[in-house]
Amino acid sequence: MPTPESFPIETIFVPTKLKKTLKPETAAEIAESMLDIGQQTPISVRPEGDRLVLVEGLHRLEACKALGETTIIGVIVPAEVAQHRPLLSEGPAVEAERIKMARLKQLRLEKEAAEASTAGSKSVNGTEAPRTRPTKGVRDNPKASPGRTAGSTPKRTLSDWITQQKGSGGRY
C-alpha cells in the first residue's frame, strides 16, 4: 500500500467526467466532518506530466477547498491501476442505486406476472371471453355476417350493427 503524503491542491487536475459526479451537499457534509475529526481517508491521484490527476476522492478534495486548505493528503497510484478503477467515487451509493433498480425491476416483473395470471384465470372461469380476431374478409362480406339469412334483409339500426360488431370482435 502506498504511503499517504501531502499534495498541493492547485496541482491536482479533476477530469471533466469526474466533475459531473460532484454533489455539493456531500462535499459540505465531508467538510463538516473534517472540521471535527480531520481527513481520515486519503485521495488517490496519478502522475501525468507536471500535474496530478484525481482518480478517487472528489468530494474530499472539494471539502478541503471549501475549508480553505492548500494541501490535501493523498496517495499516488500507478496509471495502470487508475485506468481499471471506476471513475465514480461514491462506490456504496452507486451499489445502493444498483440494488434499488434491481428490486424495482423484480417488483415490476412480479406485478406483470400477477396481472397475467389474473387475466388468465378470468378467461378460464368464463368471466372474460377470449378475444379472437375474425378471419380476413369476414367483415367485408355481407353474406358472412351472422345476422343475414338467405332471402331476408332485416332492417337494422346503427346501434344494432355496432353491438353486433363488438360481439364478434370487429372494428367499427
Side-chain angles (χ1 to χ4, degrees):
M1 174 101 184
T3 308
E5 49 188 292
S6 183
F7 299 106
I9 290 178
E10 69 269 0
T11 63
I12 299 173
F13 171 75
V14 180
T16 306
K17 202 172 192 180
L18 193 57
K19 281 182 187 177
K20 291 180 181 181
T21 65
L22 178 66
K23 296 179 183 169
E25 58 277 355
T26 303
E29 288 174 13
I30 292 173
E32 287 178 24
S33 172
M34 283 183 174
L35 281 174
D36 293 335
I37 59 174
Q39 182 183 350
Q40 298 296 306
T41 309
I43 64 169
S44 299
V45 293
R46 66 177 169 82
E48 184 179 280
D50 61 341
R51 67 181 182 180
L52 298 169
V53 178
L54 184 69
V55 175
E56 187 176 42
L58 174 66
H59 291 97
R60 285 170 272 163
L61 179 68
E62 292 299 319
C64 283
K65 284 181 183 178
L67 293 172
E69 296 288 333
T70 56
T71 61
I72 188 168
I73 298 171
V75 293
I76 295 178
V77 295
E80 301 83 38
V81 174
Q83 288 176 351
H84 298 296
R85 186 173 275 177
L87 284 176
L88 294 175
S89 61
E90 300 84 30
V94 171
E95 184 61 25
E97 186 68 20
R98 278 192 202 115
I99 292 169
K100 179 177 129 186
M101 294 307 290
R103 181 69 182 140
L104 288 174
K105 181 179 179 182
Q106 181 67 30
L107 289 172
R108 181 178 50 82
L109 292 174
E110 288 172 2
K111 180 181 176 188
E112 289 174 359
E115 288 173 353
S117 71
T118 303
S121 67
K122 281 185 180 178
S123 64
V124 169
N125 293 337
T127 57
E128 183 180 301
R131 298 183 78 184
T132 59
R133 193 172 196 164
T135 57
K136 189 172 184 177
V138 171
R139 280 183 283 162
D140 300 331
N141 186 351
K143 291 181 183 175
S145 178
R148 306 270 178 170
T149 58
S152 70
T153 54
K155 292 263 183 191
R156 294 186 357 187
T157 64
L158 179 59
S159 128
D160 292 337
W161 180 81
I162 290 173
T163 304
Q164 183 264 327
Q165 290 295 315
K166 283 183 181 177
S168 66
R171 289 186 166 181
Y172 56 91

